[in-house]
Amino acid sequence: KELEKFLSEKRYPFFSSKQIFKWIYQKRKEDFSKMSDISKPMRAFLADNFYFSKLKLLEELTSCDGTKKFLFVLEDSSSIETVVIPEGQRNTLCVSTQVGCKFSCGFCLSGRAGFKRNLKVSEIINQYLEAEKLISPREITNIVFMGIGEPLDNFDNVIKSIEVLTSSFGIHFVKRRVSISTAGITAKIKELKSRNIGIKLSLSLHSADSDKRSKMMPINKKYPLAEVIEALKEFSHKGKFPVTLEYVLIKDFNSQREDALKLAKLAKSIDCKLNIILYNQSQYFSWEAPSSKEIDIFKKILKAKNVLFTFRKARGNDILAACGQLKSDFAVEESRENV
């Protein structure tokens, strides 16, 4: 729509915007002169007014489980990390949405260096385009907005990027294979519901006790858990698709019997899928994962309460690509030298 408006104001055919999108996102042409069904004057105009942005690959790491992590440098020398997780025929792309993060969750490295800025639409889309080339001939089958940053805090750019990813004249990715993860920004969950764009939504929960959650996730003080859950219920009802609750299991914090009982009660109150994830060890935090015995007790309580859940294995732990491990906090001057 923005391109249509821009072309119309410059007295070029507005319908050419779809042709341009198809050349870029479906035919993968990054040269206006090769867009043969567009007039030559218009091609020259496009070349004078637009350019194709790039992410510079600084580092690529491959885990023993096949997970790949890419460290990309942006045009302002900021950096982000993007992950591809293979599992059978699936290849899930984990996308970052911000440079750093302002929400400082107590188990996550992404916020340690602070928040710098939101990613542009082009920088979000380029993670897909670059990762697609880097894992070829394998194909990306799923996209999760679960990398560095809070997606709903960069709402407009994330929604625009999803529109490009899923539109019939863009990349044409299947909507139900796209998921946004949020720490719980109530107003934006409601706005996402009103947009009705057909994607999935996950909540970084990590405790069903609101007071305890506030200690781990300061955002809970501004957006209390009860309000967030009500917003999720509305979202799930509107989309007719269960939301996902993500729960990182941490020893001596949220892994006790009372934690499991509160989690079971919450999970039964909403149409949801529950993902249990073991805490991934970090030198920056003193947390630990529970023992095998504690994990078994926790799982048995959930089963006894008839709660359906999956116990997700950590992926990419050895290359710091697992949940809570993305950070990109290398020195800018060093990155410039390497690039």
Side-chain angles (χ1 to χ4, degrees):
K1 295 298 180 182
E2 291 171 352
L3 187 55
E4 281 184 359
K5 182 181 178 184
F6 180 81
L7 294 176
S8 294
E9 288 173 350
K10 301 299 180 182
R11 299 186 178 181
Y12 287 101
F14 73 91
F15 57 80
S16 296
S17 61
K18 290 184 179 180
Q19 294 170 289
I20 295 165
F21 263 56
K22 287 180 179 179
W23 278 108
I24 296 170
Y25 295 117
Q26 296 182 6
K27 299 179 182 180
R28 298 293 197 270
K29 297 295 183 184
E30 297 186 353
D31 184 343
F32 292 116
S33 68
K34 294 180 180 179
M35 298 182 181
S36 56
D37 58 355
I38 296 172
S39 69
K40 287 185 177 180
M42 187 173 180
R43 282 182 251 170
F45 170 80
L46 292 170
D48 288 340
N49 287 275
F50 295 94
Y51 73 100
F52 291 94
S53 61
K54 297 285 186 183
L55 301 182
K56 295 180 181 179
L57 179 64
L58 185 67
E59 186 176 48
E60 176 181 342
L61 298 175
T62 303
S63 167
C64 60
D65 63 24
T67 298
K68 288 185 175 292
K69 182 171 76 169
F70 307 111
L71 177 62
F72 291 119
V73 181
L74 309 176
E75 291 177 341
D76 66 352
S77 296
S78 299
S79 64
I80 54 171
E81 290 179 330
T82 307
V83 177
V84 175
I85 307 164
E87 188 172 4
Q89 298 300 311
R90 292 164 56 107
N91 291 292
T92 300
L93 176 70
C94 182
V95 176
S96 293
T97 55
Q98 296 178 315
V99 180
C101 183
K102 65 179 73 166
F103 293 96
S104 302
C105 296
F107 65 93
C108 182
L109 296 180
S110 296
R112 287 191 74 254
F115 171 78
K116 185 170 183 180
R117 65 173 176 87
N118 288 327
L119 291 187
K120 304 172 187 175
V121 177
S122 58
E123 292 166 332
I124 296 172
I125 294 295
N126 268 329
Q127 290 176 74
Y128 175 92
L129 296 174
E130 293 299 325
E132 180 188 54
K133 287 184 268 189
L134 289 164
I135 70 166
S136 180
R138 290 182 292 149
E139 294 182 354
I140 294 168
T141 60
N142 299 75
I143 302 172
V144 292
F145 286 77
M146 296 183 181
I148 297 169
E150 163 57 59
L152 296 189
D153 191 49
N154 187 14
F155 189 88
D156 291 341
N157 287 348
V158 167
I159 295 304
K160 286 178 187 178
S161 69
I162 290 172
E163 288 173 345
V164 172
L165 286 164
T166 60
S167 72
S168 59
F169 47 87
I171 292 171
H172 210 182
F173 205 86
V174 179
K175 290 181 179 179
R176 286 300 192 187
R177 293 184 179 177
V178 179
S179 180
I180 289 179
S181 178
T182 179
I185 302 179
T186 310
K188 294 302 180 182
I189 293 172
K190 292 181 178 180
E191 187 173 348
L192 186 63
K193 181 205 75 172
S194 69
R195 297 290 187 99
N196 198 27
I197 58 177
I199 61 168
K200 298 178 184 177
L201 183 63
S202 298
L203 174 70
S204 293
L205 177 62
H206 314 313
S207 179
D209 182 284
S210 189
D211 291 337
K212 186 176 285 190
R213 188 172 188 260
S214 292
K215 294 176 182 177
M216 177 64 72
M217 304 177 69
I219 191 175
N220 194 68
K221 297 173 184 176
K222 185 173 183 179
Y223 304 105
L225 181 58
E227 291 182 9
V228 174
I229 294 300
E230 286 305 310
L232 289 177
K233 287 179 181 178
E234 293 174 13
F235 180 91
S236 177
H237 178 73
K238 176 79 178 257
K240 298 180 180 179
F241 206 85
V243 296
T244 300
L245 303 180
E246 306 283 354
Y247 193 97
V248 171
L249 206 57
I250 302 173
K251 182 180 179 181
D252 298 329
F253 176 71
N254 63 358
S255 61
Q256 305 303 306
R257 176 181 174 81
E258 63 180 30
D259 297 306
L261 290 171
K262 287 182 179 180
L263 177 59
K265 183 178 180 180
L266 189 154
K268 297 287 282 186
S269 74
I270 182 172
D271 185 15
C272 72
K273 296 191 295 183
L274 177 60
N275 276 343
I276 308 292
I277 312 154
L278 270 186
Y279 172 71
N280 297 300
Q281 207 70 32
S282 168
Q283 61 176 315
Y284 299 102
F285 302 117
S286 59
W287 302 111
E288 295 179 16
S291 66
S292 297
K293 183 178 179 180
E294 290 173 306
I295 294 168
D296 287 341
I297 292 172
F298 197 91
K299 290 163 67 175
K300 284 178 181 177
I301 292 171
L302 294 179
K303 288 178 181 178
K305 294 295 182 179
N306 296 316
V307 175
L308 296 176
F309 65 93
T310 56
F311 197 82
R312 217 167 75 195
K313 294 181 180 178
R315 302 296 303 274
N317 204 319
D318 55 325
I319 58 169
L320 296 181
C323 178
Q325 292 184 322
L326 300 184
K327 54 183 182 6
S328 304
D329 59 351
F330 67 97
V332 173
E333 290 303 320
E334 179 185 342
S335 75
R336 285 176 176 160
E337 293 170 7
N338 288 333
V339 172

